[in-house]
Amino acid sequence: MNPPPDVPPNQPPSPWSPPPSPWAPPSAPADPSRPAGSVPPPPPPASWQGGWDAPPPWGRPPSGPVRAPSGSRYDEQGRNGQGGRFGWLGELVVALLLVVVGILGISLIGMIIAELLDAGPASADSEVFFEDPVAELVVSLLGIAIGIPVVMGVVRLLGRRPAGTLSSVVGRLRWGWLGWCAAVGVPLMILQIGLLIAWTWDSEPLTQSDGGFPGWPYFLLSLAVILALVPFQAAAEEYVFRGWLVQAIGRTVRSPWPAIVVASLLFALAHGFGELSGFLLLFYSALWWGWLVIRTGGLEAVIVLHTANNLLAFGLAAGFGELDDSSTAADAPWQALVLELVFAPLYCLTVAKLAERRGVERVTP
C-alpha cells in the first residue's frame, strides 16, 4: 500500500509517517519569513556570550595608528591614549639613540668613501672627512637630514600615531599653505640678509675673504648640492625641535609654552657655543617660531623661513669660496641680533594673520 501524499499544514500527522527519532534535536519554531520546504540556516557556532567575533570583555587595543582627539593643538598630537603616561620617555631615549647611530653611520660611510677615493684632508689633525668642501658639506647635511626618518619612525612605532601628525594637525604637509608662507618669507629673508651684509660690510667685508669666487663650474656644482640637500637639513631641524620634541613634551603639560621654551633652548645649544649675540638670536628666533607652529597648526611656515635662510647663507658662502668655514649661526654678530628683533615678529605676525584669513587649520579636524 502506498503512503498518502504530503499532509497539508495544520493537519494531524498521518499514521503512515515514521515516528520521530529519540536522537533528533528539538525542533525550532517555524520561521514565518522562510518559505516552506527551504533548508534552514545552520545554527551559530558555540561561543561565550557575545560570539567569537566579539572582543573580549577587557577590550582590544587598536591595530593601527591613532589620531589625537578632534580639537587638539599641534603640541597635543601625542595625546592619543597610546604609550602610557611615560611613553614620551621611551620616545626620547629611542630617538636620541637612533639620531646618534644615524650620524655615526653617515660619518663612517663618508670616512670610508674618502679613504677609498684618497680624498681625505692633507693634515692628519683635521676634523673633516674630505679635503673638498663640497663633499664635506654633503656629509654634514645628510648627517642632519637623517633626523626626519628617525623621528617619524619613532612617532609611528612608539607613539602609535600617524607620522604625518609631525607635519601638521591634518596629518600631512599642506603644500598650498607652504607656498603662501614662501611668498612672504623668502622676500623678507632676502631683505634681512641684504641689510646685514650692508651693515657689516666695513667691519668684515666679504670681498676680502681668503677664498674668493671659485669659478663657475665649481660654484654651480656647489649650488646644486645646496639646493638638493639644504631643504632636507633645514626641515630636519624643524621636525626634531619644533615638531617631535614639542609634541613629546606636550603629552605631559597643558600649556604649549614649556615645550616651546625647552625646545628653543636645545635648538640654540645644538648650534654650538659662539658669540652671546648668536646664542640670543637663535633662542629668540626659536621662541617666535615655536609660537608660530602652534598658531598655524603645522611646520610649514618655519620650514620655509629656515630653508630660505640656510639657502642664502650657504649660497653666499659658496660664491665667496667660504664653504669650508666652520662657523654657525651661533657666531652671528650683534647686528644680526638687532635685525632679528624686528624681522622675526614681522614674519611670524604676518603669517599668523594670513593663516587666520585663509582659514588654515590650527587644531585637529
Side-chain angles (χ1 to χ4, degrees):
M1 181 181 295
N2 296 326
D6 294 339
V7 179
N10 301 325
Q11 295 295 327
S14 169
W16 303 102
S17 301
S21 171
W23 307 105
S27 58
D31 185 0
S33 62
R34 183 168 56 85
S38 62
V39 180
S47 65
W48 66 72
Q49 184 179 3
W52 291 106
D53 294 333
W58 54 83
R60 179 181 299 167
S63 58
V66 180
R67 296 287 303 272
S70 178
S72 300
R73 295 189 310 261
Y74 179 83
D75 60 299
E76 298 173 332
Q77 294 303 298
R79 299 185 183 184
N80 59 348
Q82 305 298 307
R85 178 178 299 181
F86 298 101
W88 63 272
L89 185 59
E91 285 191 28
L92 180 64
V93 172
V94 173
L96 289 178
L97 288 177
L98 290 178
V99 166
V100 171
V101 170
I103 293 175
L104 292 177
I106 295 293
S107 301
L108 180 61
I109 293 173
M111 183 175 61
I112 293 174
I113 294 176
E115 186 68 24
L116 292 176
L117 299 179
D118 195 19
S123 174
D125 298 332
S126 178
E127 297 180 355
V128 299
F129 299 107
F130 291 89
E131 183 71 22
D132 185 1
V134 175
E136 183 66 22
L137 180 64
V138 170
V139 176
S140 300
L141 295 179
L142 288 178
I144 298 175
I146 196 78
I148 296 178
V150 165
V151 295
M152 283 191 168
V154 168
V155 160
R156 178 63 180 84
L157 298 178
L158 297 183
R160 297 178 185 177
R161 57 189 173 92
T165 54
L166 283 176
S167 299
S168 74
V169 293
V170 301
R172 57 178 174 80
L173 274 179
R174 299 165 292 189
W175 292 102
W177 170 236
L178 188 143
W180 281 100
C181 296
V184 177
V186 172
L188 282 178
M189 184 56 63
I190 293 175
L191 177 60
Q192 181 177 357
I193 292 184
L195 290 175
L196 178 61
I197 293 174
W199 195 352
T200 59
W201 187 265
D202 293 334
S203 58
E204 191 177 349
L206 293 174
T207 54
Q208 296 180 7
S209 61
D210 296 334
F213 185 66
W216 282 107
Y218 194 82
F219 172 70
L220 293 177
L221 174 63
S222 305
L223 206 58
V225 170
I226 291 169
L227 291 174
L229 297 182
V230 165
F232 294 100
Q233 169 260 331
E237 294 186 18
E238 297 307 319
Y239 272 99
V240 172
F241 291 101
R242 243 75 59 193
W244 165 75
L245 187 56
V246 166
Q247 291 183 356
I249 299 175
R251 293 176 61 172
T252 60
V253 295
R254 293 182 177 274
S255 170
W257 280 108
I260 292 174
V261 172
V262 172
S264 300
L265 180 61
L266 294 177
F267 175 74
L269 293 175
H271 286 77
F273 296 96
E275 301 291 335
L276 177 61
S277 57
F279 174 81
L280 293 177
L281 181 150
L282 288 167
F283 183 63
Y284 174 78
S285 303
L287 290 175
W288 272 105
W289 293 2
W291 173 83
L292 186 61
V293 168
I294 305 300
R295 185 65 181 268
T296 60
L299 295 176
E300 297 91 350
V302 292
I303 287 177
V304 161
L305 197 65
H306 198 158
T307 301
N309 176 82
N310 288 11
L311 284 176
L312 290 171
F314 280 112
L316 288 171
F320 288 97
E322 294 291 335
L323 278 180
D324 56 349
D325 186 2
S326 60
S327 61
T328 68
D331 302 299
W334 65 269
Q335 295 93 331
L337 174 60
V338 172
L339 290 173
E340 188 68 10
L341 293 175
V342 177
F343 277 89
L346 177 61
Y347 172 76
C348 292
L349 294 175
T350 302
V351 169
K353 188 64 175 180
L354 180 62
E356 182 179 349
R357 290 185 177 181
R358 298 195 59 80
V360 174
E361 297 89 344
R362 297 173 55 180
V363 296
T364 303

